[in-house]
Amino acid sequence: MAETDQGPGPNVAVLCGGVGAARFLNGLVEVVKPSAVTAVVNVADDVTLHGLRISPDIDTIVYTLAGAHSVERGWGLDGETWQAMEMLGRYGGQDWFSLGDRDLGTHLFRTDELRKGRSLSEVTAEMARAWGLELNLLPVTDDRLRTMVTTVDEGEIGFQEYFVRRRHEVAVTAVRFDGAAEARPAPGVLEALSTSDVVVIAPSNPVVSIDPILAVPGVRAALGTRSDSVVAISPIVGGKALKGPADRLLVELGRQASVEAVGQWYTDVASILVIDEVDAEHVEKLEGRGMKVVVTDTIMARPGVAAALARAALEAVIES
Ligand code: FO1
């Protein structure tokens, strides 16, 4: 798939959330050259705490592709220390969102640069360069976009309050993306989604990681016009999310935690769905709804699976 004597490999754009997307990208860059990859990243998980701007999905991808991430947490840096958080705890400060001592350097830099008037896109490109990453890393928008979650007991709270402070253990009745109507796609986003040979929707949470990206005006339409070369990878395997609340959110919002529900979720933007081998029995139903289905190992727990998954996703488009 990579550059061969038959000429350059495909250009690939990937809609990305956090941990699952980062793992997928790590495999994809083994299959196509990193400079041919454009990651369009969710920024609706972003949060400002202690006056610092934190962009979890961007940082998870940067750290993971740099090989610097914490494998057991999935987010944040490996070998992290928590002295600053301990000091904060001593004073009774806000310590429900754990910021490692090295990770704080990222937030200090990003906050400073944004305060000088640079865009999130520029700061993100700077961070990618600083870690020696060659892929194109684009926030979906440089404007304000925030996932707001309505819980059964607290009413509407911010995404990180739901995901981290409440450990996503509370039922949700609604999700909305504050700022979506006014948000503009960041420079390069629509071009990447329109001109890439393949667009992949990474195995991220459809409700709170992929939908905020699709909610930015112009994005859904850009995919809709070329959905025959858009392939989505289901984050639901055997009725469960491998990590995080995607399964419960789908049910709480009136759908099912199933590959069919994921296929329906993406029906107007993707024509191909990649599902895990444990869900092979659902192929007929999905194909009955007009989706092309690829069945493969989608559990990126072992080395080599992410690259094989990336290859399977690309081959579903390039050879179709
Ligand atoms: N996730 C947690 O479950 N607990 C945390 O304390 C936490 C801190 C944190 C700090 C920086 C960062 O980039 C990510 C962090 N995450 C934490 C993960 C984050 O909430 C999620 O990765 C995304 O927002 C969802 O994909």
Side-chain angles (χ1 to χ4, degrees):
M1 192 60 74
E3 196 154 5
T4 64
D5 47 11
Q6 269 86 37
N11 286 317
V12 184
V14 188
L15 270 57
C16 295
V19 177
R23 284 212 185 110
F24 175 75
L25 285 173
N26 244 354
L28 179 62
V29 295
E30 287 179 39
V31 176
V32 298
K33 58 183 191 299
S35 59
V37 174
T38 300
V40 176
V41 188
N42 172 39
V43 292
D45 289 4
D46 286 18
V47 64
T48 297
L49 288 170
H50 320 294
L52 297 175
R53 170 68 179 273
I54 298 156
S55 301
D57 285 351
I58 289 174
D59 295 351
T60 298
I61 288 170
V62 168
Y63 295 161
T64 302
L65 288 180
H69 71 299
S70 157
V71 174
E72 88 265 5
R73 274 182 271 113
W75 52 269
L77 288 157
D78 198 13
E80 186 61 280
T81 54
W82 310 91
Q83 306 297 310
M85 291 308 290
E86 279 171 31
M87 282 297 273
L88 205 48
R90 170 186 296 276
Y91 303 119
Q94 198 173 218
D95 60 359
W96 55 270
F97 195 78
S98 302
L99 294 167
D101 298 322
R102 296 173 67 212
D103 190 37
L104 276 169
T106 294
H107 311 312
L108 292 171
F109 173 72
R110 178 166 36 231
T111 304
D112 270 350
E113 294 304 298
L114 291 174
R115 205 175 277 143
K116 291 176 196 164
R118 298 186 75 192
S119 69
L120 184 59
S121 294
E122 290 166 332
V123 179
T124 302
E126 196 86 24
M127 284 173 53
R129 226 184 332 276
W131 285 97
L133 305 184
E134 290 169 48
L135 88 165
N136 305 292
L137 200 50
L138 308 181
V140 62
T141 179
D142 287 336
D143 297 325
R144 177 181 163 72
L145 184 66
R146 291 289 180 279
T147 297
M148 301 304 290
V149 173
T150 302
T151 61
V152 291
D153 60 1
E154 261 191 272
E156 189 171 74
I157 58 178
F159 176 77
Q160 297 299 347
E161 307 252 5
Y162 161 71
F163 189 84
V164 177
R165 185 168 59 75
R166 299 298 303 272
R167 290 189 177 73
H168 50 78
E169 283 163 355
V170 59
V172 165
T173 56
V175 173
R176 72 181 177 91
F177 310 121
D178 192 39
E182 301 77 30
R184 293 156 296 169
V189 165
L190 292 185
E191 184 195 353
L193 297 181
S194 307
T195 64
S196 295
D197 300 299
V198 182
V199 177
V200 181
I201 299 178
S204 299
N205 187 318
V207 181
V208 291
S209 297
I210 300 299
D211 258 22
I213 299 173
L214 297 174
V216 174
V219 171
R220 192 175 280 276
L223 296 184
T225 54
R226 46 124 356 127
S227 61
D228 59 343
S229 54
V230 180
V231 46
I233 302 171
S234 174
I236 299 291
V237 174
K240 305 293 290 167
L242 294 177
K243 188 175 174 60
D247 46 10
R248 273 180 288 119
L249 281 172
L250 282 166
V251 171
E252 286 159 5
L253 296 176
R255 309 293 181 95
Q256 295 165 330
S258 69
V259 288
E260 281 94 347
V262 174
Q264 276 177 319
W265 196 273
Y266 292 138
T267 190
D268 61 341
V269 290
S271 63
I272 304 162
L273 184 67
V274 181
I275 63 175
D276 191 81
E277 289 147 349
V278 302
D279 288 309
E281 74 204 76
H282 300 281
V283 169
E284 272 165 61
K285 256 185 276 179
L286 284 161
E287 288 178 340
R289 288 213 187 86
M291 279 209 116
K292 182 177 169 193
V293 185
V294 173
V295 181
T296 189
D297 180 0
T298 66
I299 302 176
M300 299 176 282
R302 284 179 294 103
V305 177
L309 175 58
R311 192 181 302 280
L314 297 184
E315 282 169 359
V317 172
I318 293 181
E319 282 168 5
S320 70

